[in-house]
Amino acid sequence: DFIIGLATKLKQANEEKSRLQEKIEADKPKVLFAESLQVSDDTINVNDLAKLLKQNGVDIGEMRLFKWLRDNGYLIKSGTEYNMPTQKSMNLGLFKVKIGTRQSSNGTPKMTRTPKVTGKGQMYFLNKFRLGDSA
């Protein structure tokens, strides 16, 4: 009986190991995608982040995402810095600010600032929303 019990436990352990190995193989593309995002120098606009979240099952659009980011302390709520990243989100490495110029209607150049979500920020917010932390 002892040997039968031992053989049964060994068989169960081997089945569990096999199941876990299959899960590792199935999750490998997701892990590679996540790792490539985190080390990526590419940044995206907040509206593109909203689209990425939507593709991953989070029901949110650009305007609601901007509001959520302001309400939860990731973007500044008012003043001349409206919708710019807070110090907290910059320290976490979630955003970068792209500075550019465009020509105004009277022909003078105007400086523009756009918050861009880093690869690390993309993973941060994907995880935050998917794990139900978004409230």
Side-chain angles (χ1 to χ4, degrees), residues 47-120:
N47 67 335
D48 291 329
L49 176 61
K51 291 173 190 171
L52 185 63
L53 290 169
K54 187 79 166 172
Q55 289 172 350
N56 282 277
V58 179
D59 187 25
I60 197 160
E62 177 185 3
M63 302 310 274
R64 282 187 293 155
L65 179 57
F66 263 110
K67 182 178 180 343
W68 186 91
L69 291 169
R70 287 190 300 270
D71 291 347
N72 288 278
Y74 296 101
L75 296 178
I76 295 172
K77 289 183 178 187
S78 63
T80 58
E81 299 290 310
Y82 183 71
N83 277 350
M84 286 295 108
T86 60
Q87 192 62 53
K88 164 189 160 183
S89 59
M90 291 298 284
N91 288 346
L92 289 172
L94 307 179
F95 290 93
K96 287 184 177 180
V97 177
K98 178 186 172 202
I99 299 176
T101 57
R102 65 174 177 84
Q103 227 171 0
S104 64
S105 58
N106 64 5
T108 59
K110 181 178 179 180
M111 186 178 82
T112 60
R113 296 176 303 154
T114 308
K116 306 282 266 183
V117 185
T118 63
K120 180 179 179 181

